[in-house]
Amino acid sequence: MRIAEFDREFVLRQAMLAFMQHGYAKTSMQKLTQVTALHPGSLYAAFGNKKGIFLAAIEQYQADRNQQFTALFCQHKPVLPSLRQYLDSIVNECISGDAMKVCLLTKSISEVEGQDSQISHVLMTNLNAYENALAEQFERAIKAGEIPNTRTAEHLARFLAMGLYGLRTYALTNRCEQDLSQLADDLYHAMCN
Amino acid sequence: MRIAEFDREFVLRQAMLAFMQHGYAKTSMQKLTQVTALHPGSLYAAFGNKKGIFLAAIEQYQADRNQQFTALFCQHKPVLPSLRQYLDSIVNECISGDAMKVCLLTKSISEVEGQDSQISHVLMTNLNAYENALAEQFERAIKAGEIPNTRTAEHLARFLAMGLYGLRTYALTNRCEQDLSQLADDLYHAMCN
DNA sequence: CCTTATCTTGAATGTACACTCAAGATAAGG
DNA sequence: CCTTATCTTGAGTGTACATTCAAGATAAGG
């Protein structure tokens, strides 16, 4: 017997970053062997093929983001200050210049849309779950009276999801921190009234 | 002497649609020869290489969209009804299911970001020009009293650009016409107050 | 109608890729 | 310490790609 030597989470996070930086198609297996420090055979033994690595990396990405999200939007804290902090952290990611400025899910769904229905379906499911997580928080905010109940939580979540997808894309066209902060501010205020 | 036989606009529009559908990397020269009905040699003679075809297709895309835009936002008509119509047309594109549901510029900048600075620069320039075109219309709307001057035209244009980039991305996760129309409606109302 | 410059054709070329596999290395169980 | 199941290694394989180029086709100018 012999146990696998590599750290699965490390490998998937490295792969994840490579996919975020170069996209699915242009992340070669050679690149993946470099960033994971694994040889092709090990990668294929562990994940089957390139698509398997990608799907596992998406899962890791989702797990990581979920943990961040639930840590920030803690149940016993008011929603709006967390939302504010969340928006700021996204603006910071957009400005950072590293791979984290893009969302793996939206970037990938834009790339593989109409090419691989399995990957598309996984990405759609994860993005819908993200929207639902936002809706839960808005539900909580409405119940607590932080936000007037003129719009449903689902409605608010949908609008914010759209805004955040747009913010990340817009940041590719204009890296001015002030402009991005202002947009985040606009989104914040669009939620509160 | 002999004149080129093919119709340049037709060829570029076909290439444009292929790039919108499959992305830059995954649109093979073979695909391009198919959709343009031109042989490799002719394409290389006319555009140099694949990147040349892509840049020319972007130029054609920009020209086409510009013409649409200026026809819709006619100088002697009020801005807000045109904006409404514009938003509806984008929602229709999002639902349509064909290649036009994506924006060639935003899809491409997301793909080639950090890979080809020349292409990125061209795309950024075109997207900034688009934002400026929106700002011009908001300027006109403010001057005509259609919109209160609580925010600058540039500010409004930036927010709408972000919203539209987000709307197209969001549509990849949720094709429900009602939801998309509501988002377009939200964007419209976010501009008017 | 012939010349010649230009365009068209599509097979050929070199490269980069995803993926395989057989040989070597290593740890758990006896 | 040996056995054996499993992991690691990395050169090798077939395929798909962007690009080239020489031969063939075609229209304008004389």
Side-chain angles (χ1 to χ4, degrees), chain A residues 29-43:
Chain A
M29 285 303 301
Q30 196 184 5
K31 191 92 206 164
L32 287 171
T33 61
Q34 284 167 14
V35 299
T36 61
L38 251 48
H39 289 252
S42 299
L43 281 171

Side-chain angles (χ1 to χ4, degrees), chain A residues 36-138:
Chain A
T36 61
L38 251 48
H39 289 252
S42 299
L43 281 171
Y44 281 93
F47 304 106
N49 52 26
K50 185 180 167 180
K51 182 167 156 181
I53 304 172
F54 188 53
L55 290 170
I58 287 169
E59 205 175 346
Q60 184 66 50
Y61 180 80
Q62 181 77 335
D64 289 355
R65 300 287 279 201
N66 227 304
Q67 193 172 349
Q68 262 189 282
F69 190 90
T70 50
L72 185 56
F73 289 94
C74 181
Q75 289 298 339
H76 63 270
K77 285 191 298 186
V79 176
L80 285 181
S82 296
L83 176 61
R84 182 106 238 173
Q85 225 180 309
Y86 185 56
L87 288 166
D88 289 345
S89 74
I90 289 176
V91 168
N92 282 331
E93 284 180 342
C94 288
I95 296 166
S96 75
D98 61 24
M100 291 303 286
K101 78 175 156 196
V102 305
C103 167
L104 177 62
L105 304 181
T106 52
K107 172 158 176 154
S108 300
I109 207 172
S110 164
E111 179 182 349
V112 308
E113 215 286 308
Q115 285 181 40
D116 187 308
S117 58
Q118 189 192 354
I119 297 177
S120 284
H121 180 259
V122 167
L123 292 168
M124 269 186 65
T125 302
N126 284 334
L127 286 164
N128 287 335
Y130 173 66
E131 193 182 321
N132 289 336
L134 288 175
E136 269 181 45
Q137 297 309 312
F138 282 122

Side-chain angles (χ1 to χ4, degrees), chain B residues 1-2 4-5 39-42:
Chain B
M1 310 290 184
R2 191 182 167 197
E5 285 172 5
H39 289 252
S42 299

